[in-house]
Amino acid sequence: MDNLIFCLNATVPIFAVILLGRLLRGRHFFSPQTLADIDRLSFKVLLPVLLFRDIAAGRITEQFDLKFFLFCAGITIVYFFAIWLGAAKLLPDKSMVGAFTQGAFRGSQAILGVAFVQSLYGDAGLVPLMIVASVPLYNIFSVLVLAVTAPAGRGRDRKGLIGRTLGGIITNPIILGILAGLPFSLLSVNFPPMVAKGLDLLAGCATPLALLSIGAGFEGAKALKKLGPTCAATLIKLVLLPAVFLPIAAWIGFRDQELVAIVILCGAPSTVSGYVMAKNMGGDHVLAASIVVLSTAVSAVTLTAILFILRTAGLI
């Protein structure tokens, strides 16, 4: 019972805030423009500040784990190509392959990952290192699979979008926030109290605001469309990937914050940015939206169950 309560303490507050966002949207607290502005503020300012603060406050020479970094990057590569190959062979409608592959492999690390580890340990822990290892690959692989498989993505416009997206990887605010914190960490710089408190105030807004936005942005009707592929992608993202890679991670010796970060890498729900990219590159954006909605809803159960199993096994 103690282990179950431990896991519920980590997951229930997060999904309660997501649900609150949906309820507030139903009472017209959020317009579409307001949500777009909140998403932009979270992505470009608040989350980068949070990750900058956590990286700068830590001591990267003490925290950096090459084995952990290479493991995160390696399994990202493995499961991306495995899902793409399986989707290409098994999906009868080949126009779905890009959106299905992206929805089944690309998770919401920056928002839910930070939220979960903060809930368990009080800071972002090793999530920033996991983000650096995986998120650039996510962006590159998403462009690759959509460019190759999306019928409407072929041609000159697609090439321009690929160039802009690859440029966006280099200028990704979350990656830049992490990289900006590295010199402060390496040089063991301590911020003056007034600077530290200002960073704390901004960083404290990041997670709750992003979670409210996720809930408010739900469009539940879309989850009913293309239900078969949506359920399959959700099952892969939330159950199959953790079932395959978490035992390997535990066998290698990852524990506590390392293992929780890998839980998020493998088992976080599909990210909203995947829907945006699928729509802009001519992919099946209805399928992409359905995967985001269903995987986020179901992850309340699966992530709690995974944490409970790991806690019971004494791994976290």
PDB file of all heavy atoms in Angstrom, residues 126-147:
ATOM      1  N   LEU A 126      17.879  13.886 -13.901  1.00  0.00           N
ATOM      2  CA  LEU A 126      18.587  13.533 -15.127  1.00  0.00           C
ATOM      3  C   LEU A 126      17.729  13.694 -16.372  1.00  0.00           C
ATOM      4  O   LEU A 126      18.159  13.333 -17.463  1.00  0.00           O
ATOM      5  CB  LEU A 126      19.086  12.085 -15.031  1.00  0.00           C
ATOM      6  CG  LEU A 126      20.258  11.880 -14.068  1.00  0.00           C
ATOM      7  CD1 LEU A 126      20.527  10.399 -13.857  1.00  0.00           C
ATOM      8  CD2 LEU A 126      21.510  12.565 -14.588  1.00  0.00           C
ATOM      9  N   VAL A 127      16.529  14.250 -16.221  1.00  0.00           N
ATOM     10  CA  VAL A 127      15.679  14.465 -17.386  1.00  0.00           C
ATOM     11  C   VAL A 127      16.348  15.384 -18.426  1.00  0.00           C
ATOM     12  O   VAL A 127      16.274  15.115 -19.621  1.00  0.00           O
ATOM     13  CB  VAL A 127      14.292  15.013 -16.976  1.00  0.00           C
ATOM     14  CG1 VAL A 127      13.514  15.513 -18.184  1.00  0.00           C
ATOM     15  CG2 VAL A 127      13.501  13.908 -16.286  1.00  0.00           C
ATOM     16  N   PRO A 128      17.019  16.497 -18.018  1.00  0.00           N
ATOM     17  CA  PRO A 128      17.690  17.317 -19.035  1.00  0.00           C
ATOM     18  C   PRO A 128      18.704  16.536 -19.866  1.00  0.00           C
ATOM     19  O   PRO A 128      18.793  16.733 -21.086  1.00  0.00           O
ATOM     20  CB  PRO A 128      18.380  18.412 -18.204  1.00  0.00           C
ATOM     21  CG  PRO A 128      17.543  18.534 -16.980  1.00  0.00           C
ATOM     22  CD  PRO A 128      17.100  17.136 -16.678  1.00  0.00           C
ATOM     23  N   LEU A 129      19.457  15.654 -19.243  1.00  0.00           N
ATOM     24  CA  LEU A 129      20.426  14.845 -19.978  1.00  0.00           C
ATOM     25  C   LEU A 129      19.714  13.892 -20.928  1.00  0.00           C
ATOM     26  O   LEU A 129      20.158  13.681 -22.065  1.00  0.00           O
ATOM     27  CB  LEU A 129      21.302  14.064 -18.989  1.00  0.00           C
ATOM     28  CG  LEU A 129      22.474  13.271 -19.570  1.00  0.00           C
ATOM     29  CD1 LEU A 129      23.426  14.193 -20.318  1.00  0.00           C
ATOM     30  CD2 LEU A 129      23.215  12.531 -18.458  1.00  0.00           C
ATOM     31  N   MET A 130      18.600  13.316 -20.488  1.00  0.00           N
ATOM     32  CA  MET A 130      17.808  12.454 -21.356  1.00  0.00           C
ATOM     33  C   MET A 130      17.229  13.238 -22.530  1.00  0.00           C
ATOM     34  O   MET A 130      17.186  12.745 -23.662  1.00  0.00           O
ATOM     35  CB  MET A 130      16.693  11.798 -20.541  1.00  0.00           C
ATOM     36  CG  MET A 130      15.771  10.881 -21.328  1.00  0.00           C
ATOM     37  SD  MET A 130      14.307  11.768 -21.915  1.00  0.00           S
ATOM     38  CE  MET A 130      13.390  11.951 -20.400  1.00  0.00           C
ATOM     39  N   ILE A 131      16.804  14.494 -22.283  1.00  0.00           N
ATOM     40  CA  ILE A 131      16.260  15.330 -23.350  1.00  0.00           C
ATOM     41  C   ILE A 131      17.330  15.624 -24.398  1.00  0.00           C
ATOM     42  O   ILE A 131      17.090  15.536 -25.608  1.00  0.00           O
ATOM     43  CB  ILE A 131      15.694  16.638 -22.774  1.00  0.00           C
ATOM     44  CG1 ILE A 131      14.411  16.354 -21.978  1.00  0.00           C
ATOM     45  CG2 ILE A 131      15.412  17.653 -23.870  1.00  0.00           C
ATOM     46  CD1 ILE A 131      13.866  17.555 -21.243  1.00  0.00           C
ATOM     47  N   VAL A 132      18.542  15.961 -23.951  1.00  0.00           N
ATOM     48  CA  VAL A 132      19.629  16.236 -24.890  1.00  0.00           C
ATOM     49  C   VAL A 132      19.942  15.007 -25.730  1.00  0.00           C
ATOM     50  O   VAL A 132      20.254  15.107 -26.917  1.00  0.00           O
ATOM     51  CB  VAL A 132      20.887  16.709 -24.122  1.00  0.00           C
ATOM     52  CG1 VAL A 132      22.087  16.787 -25.049  1.00  0.00           C
ATOM     53  CG2 VAL A 132      20.638  18.072 -23.503  1.00  0.00           C
ATOM     54  N   ALA A 133      19.836  13.813 -25.119  1.00  0.00           N
ATOM     55  CA  ALA A 133      20.146  12.579 -25.835  1.00  0.00           C
ATOM     56  C   ALA A 133      19.074  12.200 -26.844  1.00  0.00           C
ATOM     57  O   ALA A 133      19.375  11.600 -27.886  1.00  0.00           O
ATOM     58  CB  ALA A 133      20.346  11.436 -24.836  1.00  0.00           C
ATOM     59  N   SER A 134      17.801  12.554 -26.564  1.00  0.00           N
ATOM     60  CA  SER A 134      16.706  12.022 -27.377  1.00  0.00           C
ATOM     61  C   SER A 134      15.973  13.044 -28.237  1.00  0.00           C
ATOM     62  O   SER A 134      15.586  12.727 -29.374  1.00  0.00           O
ATOM     63  CB  SER A 134      15.683  11.322 -26.474  1.00  0.00           C
ATOM     64  OG  SER A 134      15.131  12.227 -25.534  1.00  0.00           O
ATOM     65  N   VAL A 135      15.752  14.256 -27.721  1.00  0.00           N
ATOM     66  CA  VAL A 135      14.894  15.212 -28.436  1.00  0.00           C
ATOM     67  C   VAL A 135      15.455  15.624 -29.812  1.00  0.00           C
ATOM     68  O   VAL A 135      14.701  15.700 -30.789  1.00  0.00           O
ATOM     69  CB  VAL A 135      14.597  16.446 -27.558  1.00  0.00           C
ATOM     70  CG1 VAL A 135      13.957  17.561 -28.372  1.00  0.00           C
ATOM     71  CG2 VAL A 135      13.670  16.040 -26.408  1.00  0.00           C
ATOM     72  N   PRO A 136      16.769  15.897 -29.947  1.00  0.00           N
ATOM     73  CA  PRO A 136      17.270  16.173 -31.297  1.00  0.00           C
ATOM     74  C   PRO A 136      17.004  15.010 -32.261  1.00  0.00           C
ATOM     75  O   PRO A 136      16.655  15.226 -33.429  1.00  0.00           O
ATOM     76  CB  PRO A 136      18.775  16.390 -31.082  1.00  0.00           C
ATOM     77  CG  PRO A 136      18.888  16.854 -29.673  1.00  0.00           C
ATOM     78  CD  PRO A 136      17.833  16.091 -28.933  1.00  0.00           C
ATOM     79  N   LEU A 137      17.153  13.777 -31.776  1.00  0.00           N
ATOM     80  CA  LEU A 137      16.860  12.616 -32.617  1.00  0.00           C
ATOM     81  C   LEU A 137      15.379  12.565 -32.958  1.00  0.00           C
ATOM     82  O   LEU A 137      14.995  12.211 -34.084  1.00  0.00           O
ATOM     83  CB  LEU A 137      17.281  11.335 -31.898  1.00  0.00           C
ATOM     84  CG  LEU A 137      18.781  11.134 -31.694  1.00  0.00           C
ATOM     85  CD1 LEU A 137      19.044   9.882 -30.857  1.00  0.00           C
ATOM     86  CD2 LEU A 137      19.512  11.033 -33.028  1.00  0.00           C
ATOM     87  N   TYR A 138      14.502  12.896 -31.995  1.00  0.00           N
ATOM     88  CA  TYR A 138      13.068  12.932 -32.259  1.00  0.00           C
ATOM     89  C   TYR A 138      12.752  13.839 -33.451  1.00  0.00           C
ATOM     90  O   TYR A 138      11.995  13.478 -34.352  1.00  0.00           O
ATOM     91  CB  TYR A 138      12.317  13.460 -31.028  1.00  0.00           C
ATOM     92  CG  TYR A 138      12.045  12.453 -29.956  1.00  0.00           C
ATOM     93  CD1 TYR A 138      11.396  12.830 -28.789  1.00  0.00           C
ATOM     94  CD2 TYR A 138      12.426  11.128 -30.091  1.00  0.00           C
ATOM     95  CE1 TYR A 138      11.141  11.915 -27.782  1.00  0.00           C
ATOM     96  CE2 TYR A 138      12.175  10.214 -29.092  1.00  0.00           C
ATOM     97  CZ  TYR A 138      11.538  10.614 -27.939  1.00  0.00           C
ATOM     98  OH  TYR A 138      11.273   9.710 -26.954  1.00  0.00           O
ATOM     99  N   ASN A 139      13.318  15.050 -33.413  1.00  0.00           N
ATOM    100  CA  ASN A 139      13.035  16.010 -34.475  1.00  0.00           C
ATOM    101  C   ASN A 139      13.562  15.536 -35.824  1.00  0.00           C
ATOM    102  O   ASN A 139      12.868  15.627 -36.849  1.00  0.00           O
ATOM    103  CB  ASN A 139      13.636  17.371 -34.110  1.00  0.00           C
ATOM    104  CG  ASN A 139      12.842  18.096 -33.038  1.00  0.00           C
ATOM    105  OD1 ASN A 139      11.848  18.736 -33.305  1.00  0.00           O
ATOM    106  ND2 ASN A 139      13.280  17.962 -31.800  1.00  0.00           N
ATOM    107  N   ILE A 140      14.777  15.028 -35.838  1.00  0.00           N
ATOM    108  CA  ILE A 140      15.367  14.541 -37.090  1.00  0.00           C
ATOM    109  C   ILE A 140      14.569  13.368 -37.646  1.00  0.00           C
ATOM    110  O   ILE A 140      14.216  13.324 -38.835  1.00  0.00           O
ATOM    111  CB  ILE A 140      16.833  14.134 -36.860  1.00  0.00           C
ATOM    112  CG1 ILE A 140      17.681  15.359 -36.532  1.00  0.00           C
ATOM    113  CG2 ILE A 140      17.401  13.415 -38.079  1.00  0.00           C
ATOM    114  CD1 ILE A 140      19.076  15.037 -36.033  1.00  0.00           C
ATOM    115  N   PHE A 141      14.245  12.403 -36.788  1.00  0.00           N
ATOM    116  CA  PHE A 141      13.533  11.215 -37.242  1.00  0.00           C
ATOM    117  C   PHE A 141      12.099  11.543 -37.677  1.00  0.00           C
ATOM    118  O   PHE A 141      11.571  10.928 -38.611  1.00  0.00           O
ATOM    119  CB  PHE A 141      13.511  10.161 -36.136  1.00  0.00           C
ATOM    120  CG  PHE A 141      14.848   9.515 -35.873  1.00  0.00           C
ATOM    121  CD1 PHE A 141      15.097   8.859 -34.678  1.00  0.00           C
ATOM    122  CD2 PHE A 141      15.860   9.566 -36.818  1.00  0.00           C
ATOM    123  CE1 PHE A 141      16.321   8.265 -34.434  1.00  0.00           C
ATOM    124  CE2 PHE A 141      17.096   8.979 -36.587  1.00  0.00           C
ATOM    125  CZ  PHE A 141      17.328   8.324 -35.391  1.00  0.00           C
ATOM    126  N   SER A 142      11.452  12.499 -36.990  1.00  0.00           N
ATOM    127  CA  SER A 142      10.097  12.886 -37.373  1.00  0.00           C
ATOM    128  C   SER A 142      10.082  13.497 -38.766  1.00  0.00           C
ATOM    129  O   SER A 142       9.207  13.194 -39.592  1.00  0.00           O
ATOM    130  CB  SER A 142       9.523  13.882 -36.356  1.00  0.00           C
ATOM    131  OG  SER A 142       9.328  13.269 -35.101  1.00  0.00           O
ATOM    132  N   VAL A 143      11.046  14.360 -39.043  1.00  0.00           N
ATOM    133  CA  VAL A 143      11.168  14.936 -40.383  1.00  0.00           C
ATOM    134  C   VAL A 143      11.401  13.827 -41.406  1.00  0.00           C
ATOM    135  O   VAL A 143      10.782  13.794 -42.469  1.00  0.00           O
ATOM    136  CB  VAL A 143      12.313  15.970 -40.440  1.00  0.00           C
ATOM    137  CG1 VAL A 143      12.575  16.409 -41.867  1.00  0.00           C
ATOM    138  CG2 VAL A 143      11.976  17.184 -39.584  1.00  0.00           C
ATOM    139  N   LEU A 144      12.282  12.903 -41.072  1.00  0.00           N
ATOM    140  CA  LEU A 144      12.634  11.829 -42.002  1.00  0.00           C
ATOM    141  C   LEU A 144      11.419  10.980 -42.357  1.00  0.00           C
ATOM    142  O   LEU A 144      11.110  10.775 -43.540  1.00  0.00           O
ATOM    143  CB  LEU A 144      13.723  10.957 -41.372  1.00  0.00           C
ATOM    144  CG  LEU A 144      14.131   9.709 -42.148  1.00  0.00           C
ATOM    145  CD1 LEU A 144      14.745  10.092 -43.493  1.00  0.00           C
ATOM    146  CD2 LEU A 144      15.110   8.865 -41.333  1.00  0.00           C
ATOM    147  N   VAL A 145      10.694  10.492 -41.354  1.00  0.00           N
ATOM    148  CA  VAL A 145       9.598   9.575 -41.635  1.00  0.00           C
ATOM    149  C   VAL A 145       8.442  10.289 -42.331  1.00  0.00           C
ATOM    150  O   VAL A 145       7.805   9.725 -43.233  1.00  0.00           O
ATOM    151  CB  VAL A 145       9.127   8.866 -40.338  1.00  0.00           C
ATOM    152  CG1 VAL A 145       8.406   9.816 -39.393  1.00  0.00           C
ATOM    153  CG2 VAL A 145       8.240   7.675 -40.672  1.00  0.00           C
ATOM    154  N   LEU A 146       8.164  11.533 -41.951  1.00  0.00           N
ATOM    155  CA  LEU A 146       7.072  12.260 -42.604  1.00  0.00           C
ATOM    156  C   LEU A 146       7.451  12.661 -44.028  1.00  0.00           C
ATOM    157  O   LEU A 146       6.617  12.636 -44.941  1.00  0.00           O
ATOM    158  CB  LEU A 146       6.694  13.486 -41.779  1.00  0.00           C
ATOM    159  CG  LEU A 146       5.969  13.186 -40.458  1.00  0.00           C
ATOM    160  CD1 LEU A 146       5.874  14.435 -39.594  1.00  0.00           C
ATOM    161  CD2 LEU A 146       4.583  12.615 -40.717  1.00  0.00           C
ATOM    162  N   ALA A 147       8.702  13.029 -44.242  1.00  0.00           N
ATOM    163  CA  ALA A 147       9.144  13.415 -45.576  1.00  0.00           C
ATOM    164  C   ALA A 147       9.082  12.235 -46.540  1.00  0.00           C
ATOM    165  O   ALA A 147       8.717  12.386 -47.711  1.00  0.00           O
ATOM    166  CB  ALA A 147      10.574  13.965 -45.524  1.00  0.00           C
TER     167      ALA A 147
END
